[in-house]
């Protein structure tokens, strides 16, 4: 698995990690044991960067338990998602318990109360409990405000959507992040599964075989990661097979402009 520097955060991340929205919001021994096996598959393939949030129901807890005994091998990126500092601190106390007392990348979710939450995360970083700070938003309507936070110099990474259907970040977010040495985590690589509903027929991917692409999911991940201003994509999955398939896209050779155009055309059908 290729690794890249996540901007200037000091974190060296695998280009494919894993998200946990919906997929890790489960309860009960059977479901939770199965998610541990998804984490096994991720680790087996080098996808050792895991994203979560208190907004995702049980996901932080289920991920924390799935990482038991191997926390040191991975990077945890989670979020604070709270209207004020007091609730933010409660979330952080819980997350720190689940993730062995430290968070590698702690992000302000959807820029919620970001001034209060950044102050909290900076305090936790000064105490050595947080390695790097980031901010996330899914909506282009908030990218202007996200740029303001990036320009403040207080965050080391942003998390934004990027896939052939959602390319707004190409306009301002990616150039700004690259200029300022800010890391980019890519959420929704499959447009919340939307891009997987009507995959192209397998023959259509033949020109990408020389790039190690065997499946549509891999074509989409390679499309994202061939944009070198992106550092790690975090597909979510509840499937061991899909995790292995997604992680296998995290190796050179990367696509050139012609191949990226082909993937964009196939996605637009
Ligand atoms: N959506 C948001 O607005 C948002 C916001 C903030 C952060 N995030 C973060 O970004 C992560 C990823 O975004 P997302 O969860 O919205 O969507 P996504 O990663 O674009 O799509 C996830 C879906 O793709 C399917 N999938 C994964 N690998 C596949 C494969 N190889 N073949 C076929 N289907 C495959 C999964 O189903 P299976 O379980 O069947 O594999 C899952 O339903 C989130 O989990 C979260 O950590 C998302």
């Amino acid at each position: 698995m290729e690794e890249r520097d996540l901007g200037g955060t000091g974190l060296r991340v695998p280009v494919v990690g894993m998200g946990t929205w919906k997929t890790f919001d489960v309860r009960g021994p059977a479901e939770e044991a199965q998610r541990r096996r998804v984490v096994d598959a991720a680790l087996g393939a080098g996808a050792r960067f895991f994203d979560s949030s208190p907004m995702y129901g049980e996901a932080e807890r289920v991920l924390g338990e799935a990482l038991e005994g191997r926390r040191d091998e991975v990077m945890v990126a989670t979020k604070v998602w709270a209207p004020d500092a007091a609730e933010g601190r409660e979330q952080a106390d819980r997350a720190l318990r689940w993730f062995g007392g430290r968070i590698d990348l702690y992000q302000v979710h959807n820029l919620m109360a970001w001034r209060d939450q950044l102050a909290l995360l900076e305090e936790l970083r000064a105490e050595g409990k947080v390695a790097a700070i980031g901010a996330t938003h899914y909506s282009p309507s908030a990218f202007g405000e996200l740029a303001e936070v990036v320009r403040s110099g207080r965050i080391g990474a942003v998390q934004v959507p990027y896939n052939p259907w959602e390319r707004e970040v190409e306009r301002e977010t990616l150039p700004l992040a690259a200029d300022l040495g800010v890391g980019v985590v890519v959420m929704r690589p499959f447009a919340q599964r939307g891009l997987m509903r009507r995959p192209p027929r397998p023959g259509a991917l033949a020109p990408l075989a020389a790039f190690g692409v065997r499946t549509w999911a891999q074509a989409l991940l390679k499309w994202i990661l061939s944009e070198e201003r992106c550092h790690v994509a975090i597909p979510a999955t509840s499937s061991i097979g899909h995790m292995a398939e997604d992680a296998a896209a995290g190796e050179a050779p990367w696509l050139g402009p012609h191949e990226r155009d082909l993937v964009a055309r196939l996605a637009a059908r």
Side-chain angles (χ1 to χ4, degrees), residues 185-236:
V185 179
V186 175
M187 65 165 84
R188 311 211 288 222
F190 307 138
Q192 300 180 77
R193 199 186 216 152
L195 276 160
M196 307 308 298
R197 284 203 189 101
R198 283 194 314 118
R201 56 180 179 80
L205 300 178
L208 305 177
F211 294 83
V213 169
R214 290 180 296 106
T215 68
W216 181 226
Q218 292 174 341
L220 292 165
L221 288 166
K222 285 240 173 184
W223 182 92
I224 294 163
L225 295 166
S226 300
E227 162 55 81
E228 60 187 18
R229 295 172 295 187
C230 297
H231 302 117
V232 49
I234 49 167

Side-chain angles (χ1 to χ4, degrees), residues 18 20 22-41 56-68 70 98 237-240:
M18 192 192 80
T20 59
K22 291 189 178 164
T23 49
F24 271 54
D25 182 14
V26 295
R27 275 175 195 267
E31 290 280 313
E32 292 176 24
Q34 195 277 347
R35 296 312 183 275
R36 190 177 167 98
R37 290 194 292 276
V38 175
V39 169
D40 293 345
Y56 305 161
E58 297 296 310
E60 279 188 310
R61 178 187 61 77
V62 172
L63 176 63
E65 286 171 6
L67 291 174
E68 216 179 293
R70 47 204 179 161
W98 283 321
T237 182
S238 50
S239 150
I240 294 164

